[in-house]
Amino acid sequence: MVGSTASPIVVLDSGLGGLTVVRALRRAMPFEDILYFGDTARVPYGSKSAATVTGFVRQIINYLLPHEPKHVVIACNTATAHSLTTVRADFPFLSISGVIDPGANAAIEAAGSRLRPTIGIIGTEGTIRSRAYEKAIHKQRPLARLICQAAPLLVPIIEEGRWEDLRPLLAENLDVLVLGCTHYPVYEGLIARMAGPQVAVIDSADKCAEDVRRRLRAAQLERGERAESAYLRCFVTDNSPRFGALASRFLGLQIEPPTLVCSDELHEQVVAAANAGELRTAV
Ligand code: DGL
């Protein structure tokens, strides 16, 4: 495994959504340095093929490899569903986790002792099509009744008041509703009000952070208290002036201007690594 106690944790997403995981990580492990990669030029991932998304994730990990991360979090449900198994095989020397298992575990925990809980799952088209949540939940609760709905346009739905689109799902007497996209927790309060007090709304960010801490502890890589403050450095593939402002507002701290990475550069690096035999798979 690469990385030492002092190494950073890498967190990646198609855009801003993974910052919900960064926020949870910083709460759970305030002394850890974090490198955040938002693939803002290629967002959304939700409507793209598994092969394309896997290629993007491979490129991003490869790009950040020189920082010798002690852990990589795929803070995107779509990317976790499509690529986690593949990139773990591509980078066997790296510790890599995703958001779907922590989200599924949180849903099961919230369902309590019910043998046949009704669990709603909303996520991108790619996440829902992959059936990754269904598989993860049914492994532990085979009788659970799962109602899955792709909600790629959730943001406009909420912003334009088109809540009716979610009405059929919410009419299903849900016990639990999983926010299967890391962008959705930004609207968690609103969604919880729409769902009603009887529905446990699950945002996997905290569970994902707990899962990362457990992995770091097991590998004895957790960083202890230290005098200097931990850093958060962001990388983006499109330098929208909004990224820094939105990220700072969302995290409640002033972040350094993000480093702009051209997607062609990402591609070239992965080709070079493949040619040098450092990557197992074709690009
Ligand atoms: N935040 C991502 C997820 O959790 C997806 C958003 C997108 O790029 O479509 O699936």
Side-chain angles (χ1 to χ4, degrees):
M1 288 283 165
V2 298
S4 64
T5 310
S7 302
I9 298 172
V10 160
V11 181
L12 65 94
D13 177 53
S14 58
L16 277 160
L19 291 174
T20 53
V21 172
V22 169
R23 187 172 59 176
L25 283 171
R26 287 177 60 91
R27 265 197 307 250
M29 289 171 282
F31 306 113
E32 300 292 349
D33 294 328
I34 296 177
L35 300 179
Y36 182 77
F37 198 107
D39 199 358
T40 45
R42 302 187 291 195
V43 66
Y45 281 5
S47 49
K48 296 190 170 70
S49 71
T52 297
V53 172
T54 302
F56 292 166
V57 173
R58 190 182 286 133
Q59 290 175 357
I60 294 168
I61 296 178
N62 197 56
Y63 176 81
L64 292 173
L65 220 44
H67 296 272
E68 300 193 343
K70 59 181 171 188
H71 188 77
V72 175
V73 188
I74 303 180
C76 171
N77 289 266
T78 315
T80 301
H82 289 327
S83 74
L84 183 60
T85 311
T86 308
V87 294
R88 275 183 173 155
D90 288 345
F91 301 95
F93 47 86
L94 271 183
S95 162
I96 309 178
S97 65
V99 278
I100 290 189
D101 279 343
N105 291 341
I108 289 163
E109 208 177 295
S113 55
R114 292 182 193 91
L115 268 184
R116 297 195 45 139
T118 300
I119 302 179
I121 298 157
I122 49 176
T124 65
E125 205 184 308
T127 301
I128 298 301
R129 210 178 337 106
S130 75
R131 309 186 67 176
Y133 270 103
E134 285 165 88
K135 289 176 203 152
I137 293 173
H138 274 153
K139 222 190 283 169
Q140 297 183 57
R141 212 53 77 87
L143 299 180
R145 179 170 164 253
L146 303 183
I147 303 165
C148 307
Q149 184 173 325
L153 299 177
L154 185 62
V155 174
I157 280 176
I158 292 169
E159 286 182 355
E160 290 165 25
R162 292 186 49 196
W163 300 3
E164 293 303 318
D165 298 31
L166 286 181
R167 199 70 74 204
L169 176 87
L170 298 175
E172 290 280 351
N173 284 330
L174 300 181
D175 299 307
V176 179
L177 174 63
V178 177
L179 304 183
C181 173
T182 50
H183 281 72
Y184 300 168
V186 173
Y187 294 96
E188 189 173 356
L190 203 55
I191 297 169
R193 278 202 298 283
M194 285 162 61
Q198 72 290 357
V199 182
V201 176
I202 302 298
D203 154 15
S204 57
D206 287 324
K207 289 285 169 194
C208 173
E210 261 174 42
D211 174 62
V212 174
R213 181 156 61 179
R214 190 183 46 74
R215 290 170 190 273
L216 291 183
R217 277 196 183 151
Q220 298 189 321
L221 286 175
E222 196 179 13
R223 196 163 190 172
E225 219 166 302
R226 60 190 184 142
E228 76 275 28
S229 45
Y231 66 75
L232 166 64
R233 201 170 147 204
C234 296
F235 299 81
V236 290
T237 44
D238 179 54
N239 202 2
S240 137
R242 288 217 320 245
F243 182 90
L246 285 173
S248 298
R249 205 169 68 205
F250 180 69
L251 295 170
L253 81 148
Q254 199 52 46
I255 63 156
E256 296 292 315
T259 302
L260 179 63
V261 183
C262 165
S263 6
D264 291 347
E265 193 186 330
L266 289 175
H267 183 67
E268 279 155 24
Q269 282 211 1
V270 95
V271 172
N275 289 341
E278 287 160 20
L279 266 183
R280 192 184 55 80
T281 47
V283 286

